[in-house]
Amino acid sequence: MTGRTSRSGTGPGPREILEAAALAFTRTGYEATTIDGIAELLGATKGRVYHYYRTKADIFLDVVQTGMEEMIAGVAPIAATADISSADRLWRMVHHHAGLMMTRNSFQRVAVQAVEMHRLQENQAHREAYQKVIALRDEYEQMFADVIDEGKREGLFRDVDPRLATKPALGALNWISLWYDPERGDYATVQRVANEYADFIVNGLRRSRT
């Protein structure tokens, strides 16, 4: 991933650093987050962070990429399932996405906001990493668009533009990461919210019965 060094050693590793960084970026935002702040949350020295990462931007982009890859890894198998209807697949995809917004809140909140942070393209390595993030986002959106398009062709969904319909659906889902408080939620709450969003989005696309 971007900017990570190849050194190894004892103590917290890259994964632990990313967990702490995701929390730091969520709490204070990109500009106010410092390497010192990440190290404090990590319970280590900032030298430990620099052992793996050169800059704050490198860490940020790795957090974003990790969040995007988690979403794709969870949704892709559902989208590819052949023995259930497109409507059922979309419901499960939405449900999974909503769950990630709550159970992996820090990573997903950072990932949601990062795609608009064009200033991160300050050098060639960061530009390449940023473009990879955009490519991952496009890949993810296309999975939803493809399932919506299939549902439209099957007569399950209204005659919508699949790519256009995907935008507000994911926008509503991504907003969960901004209002949901993972410290106050529990499993039942996560399931209830995910169910509500899945019903709302899929039913909003269904053809009228009249």
Side-chain angles (χ1 to χ4, degrees):
M1 291 186 180
T2 305
R4 184 185 299 176
T5 69
S6 60
R7 291 173 292 180
S8 61
T10 59
R15 185 65 192 186
E16 291 78 14
I17 292 172
L18 293 182
E19 293 283 350
L23 186 58
F25 289 129
T26 298
R27 288 178 175 176
T28 61
Y30 178 79
E31 296 295 346
T33 297
T34 63
I35 297 293
D36 284 315
I38 294 171
E40 183 177 351
L41 284 174
L42 187 64
T45 66
K46 65 179 180 181
R48 186 64 188 174
V49 178
Y50 282 124
H51 186 78
Y52 291 98
Y53 289 98
R54 299 184 182 91
T55 69
K56 179 175 72 172
D58 291 332
I59 303 173
F60 185 83
L61 287 166
D62 254 11
V63 169
V64 174
Q65 186 172 325
T66 298
M68 294 298 299
E69 288 173 345
E70 284 182 352
M71 288 194 289
I72 291 172
V75 167
I78 302 172
T81 303
D83 59 350
I84 59 176
S85 72
S86 53
D88 286 341
R89 272 183 284 144
L90 182 63
W91 193 96
R92 296 182 191 187
M93 291 162 70
V94 171
H95 192 278
H96 184 83
H97 185 117
L100 276 181
M101 292 298 112
M102 293 177 277
T103 59
R104 295 290 288 165
N105 181 268
S106 295
F107 275 88
Q108 298 308 325
R109 187 169 181 173
V110 173
V112 164
Q113 298 177 68
V115 292
E116 301 303 326
M117 297 186 67
H118 304 287
R119 66 181 178 277
L120 288 177
Q121 303 180 71
E122 58 192 36
N123 59 46
Q124 182 62 30
H126 291 166
R127 282 193 294 273
E128 291 174 358
Y130 182 82
Q131 290 306 312
K132 182 170 184 179
V133 167
I134 297 301
L136 289 171
R137 180 201 63 185
D138 292 345
E139 175 187 349
Y140 189 71
E141 290 183 358
Q142 191 61 50
M143 286 192 290
F144 280 82
D146 287 344
V147 173
I148 292 172
D149 184 56
E150 184 179 336
K152 184 180 74 170
R153 288 186 281 106
E154 292 173 346
L156 297 175
F157 297 149
R158 295 181 289 106
D159 185 17
V160 297
D161 179 328
R163 288 288 296 182
L164 186 60
T166 297
K167 295 291 187 180
L170 291 181
L173 287 166
N174 290 342
W175 193 254
I176 297 172
S177 68
L178 301 180
W179 63 257
Y180 180 78
D181 183 357
E183 295 183 1
R184 299 180 62 182
D186 55 20
Y187 178 80
T189 301
V190 169
Q191 293 302 306
R192 178 174 58 82
V193 172
N195 288 343
E196 289 286 348
Y197 270 77
D199 288 344
F200 177 77
I201 289 173
V202 173
N203 289 336
L205 287 167
R206 289 188 186 277
R207 292 177 61 91
S208 173
R209 297 181 184 273
T210 60

